[in-house]
Amino acid sequence: MPMRWLGGKFVIAAVLGAQGALAQPMNGCPDGQAMQAADPSGKTVVCVVIPAPVDVSGLESQIAAERTAREGMDVILQDAIDELRPTVIEGTYAFTGTQTCLNSSFGFSPDLTPLPSSDPNRAAVVSHSSAVTTGFRTFHANGTGTTQLRTRSIIAPGVFYTSSGFSGITSGGQSFPGGPAIPGGNASVVDQAANFTWRIEGNRLIIEDESAPGVFIAGNRVGWTALVTGVPPQVGVLGKDLRLISVTHEAFAVETTATISPPEVQPPQQFSTPRICARERTLRKM
């Protein structure tokens, strides 16, 4: 029995010794290489060279230098564009826009509210008007220009206030002496022409219109003269290609609109009304 036991022990030890030999570590790759493949026995190993790490510090410096150079060129290019703008804007632009006005026969206080009547024989009349304007602006290289426009206006019935405190809604007068009152409000069309000056400050276009005389071609004042004075400057931000420019008033101001009778009307008549208007115009290069 001992011999068998010893024999069995010997056999077991031999088997374990064989398994230990198979589990020996395989030959590795030399420094600087990595194993890519090996056969099942581990005797044949395929090694590949590990690339050296890339030094990106120099590349980052090149990228930073390129970015700085591009930013510098952008500044130079923008300066060149700014210098060209006063000449590029020359030419004719078609425009459209809206206009809304608050009319006050006695003018306005500094806080832009209508003033009451100071005359016991005259009522203060306040009314609202809106309009659509179309036309053309021609810009000359010397900072001057001309404009032609047509304004289609609708004036709502106004409200009157007397110095005694009585108030009411305005009418259009009487159809004939002793006849019924005509409802207030009216519509009209006026053709106007005027000169203007313009300048560029930074990326802003500033337009200052001179007095704009015109003539009524539709409504209840056909043939009469229309004259607008004191229109505040219009300001617009210039786009990159200068083909589309939007302008509006930067601030409110009190302007005056006057209606003047033609020579055949005697005695001559003239009606002037202070007003505050908001306008916007979209100019398109032709």
Side-chain angles (χ1 to χ4, degrees):
M1 290 294 292
M3 290 298 293
R4 288 194 197 94
W5 182 82
L6 289 173
K9 185 175 182 181
F10 174 77
V11 172
I12 293 172
V15 172
L16 292 175
Q19 289 179 346
L22 291 176
Q24 293 298 315
M26 296 179 292
N27 293 328
C29 294
D31 293 341
Q33 297 186 18
M35 186 177 68
Q36 184 183 48
D39 63 10
S41 67
K43 295 180 179 180
T44 303
V45 177
V46 179
C47 300
V48 294
V49 177
I50 301 174
V54 179
D55 183 7
V56 298
S57 59
L59 181 60
E60 291 175 347
S61 299
Q62 293 179 14
I63 293 174
E66 177 70 16
R67 181 168 58 250
T68 301
R70 287 180 179 273
E71 291 174 351
M73 291 302 298
D74 288 344
V75 172
I76 295 173
L77 179 60
Q78 186 62 52
D79 290 342
I81 293 173
D82 291 340
E83 291 178 1
L84 288 175
R85 274 178 174 157
T87 57
V88 173
I89 202 174
E90 294 173 31
T92 299
Y93 287 74
F95 69 82
T96 59
T98 59
Q99 171 181 303
T100 182
C101 300
L102 180 65
N103 310 284
S104 174
S105 60
F106 277 85
F108 297 85
S109 64
D111 65 358
L112 305 180
T113 56
L115 288 172
S117 173
S118 57
D119 185 344
N121 298 315
R122 289 178 56 205
V125 179
V126 178
S127 63
H128 170 266
S129 63
S130 58
V132 173
T133 301
T134 58
F136 302 91
R137 278 192 187 271
T138 300
F139 295 83
H140 304 309
N142 61 358
T144 65
T146 57
T147 183
Q148 301 84 39
L149 61 149
R150 173 169 291 182
T151 302
R152 299 168 175 85
S153 301
I154 297 177
I155 301 177
V159 178
F160 67 85
Y161 305 86
T162 65
S163 58
S164 63
F166 179 74
S167 61
I169 299 175
T170 61
S171 70
Q174 293 179 315
S175 56
F176 55 88
I182 298 174
N186 64 78
S188 64
V189 181
V190 177
D191 279 346
Q192 294 170 279
N195 298 319
F196 66 90
T197 59
W198 64 276
R199 65 184 184 277
I200 292 177
E201 296 180 355
N203 67 337
R204 301 197 315 160
L205 170 66
I206 301 174
I207 300 172
E208 296 189 55
D209 288 294
E210 298 179 4
S211 300
V215 60
F216 286 86
I217 63 171
N220 62 354
R221 301 282 186 183
V222 173
W224 287 51
T225 297
L227 180 63
V228 180
T229 58
V231 176
Q234 298 184 55
V235 179
V237 177
L238 299 176
K240 290 184 179 180
D241 60 3
L242 303 181
R243 301 198 63 83
L244 188 68
I245 305 173
S246 296
V247 297
T248 187
H249 296 306
E250 194 167 39
F252 283 127
V254 179
E255 59 189 71
T256 301
T257 176
T259 304
I260 305 168
S261 62
E264 59 269 22
V265 175
Q266 294 297 327
Q269 300 179 40
Q270 178 172 332
F271 308 96
S272 298
T273 304
R275 67 182 186 179
I276 297 173
C277 297
R279 297 178 177 86
E280 62 85 21
R281 303 281 187 267
T282 301
L283 286 69
R284 296 174 174 83
K285 186 73 174 287
M286 297 189 65

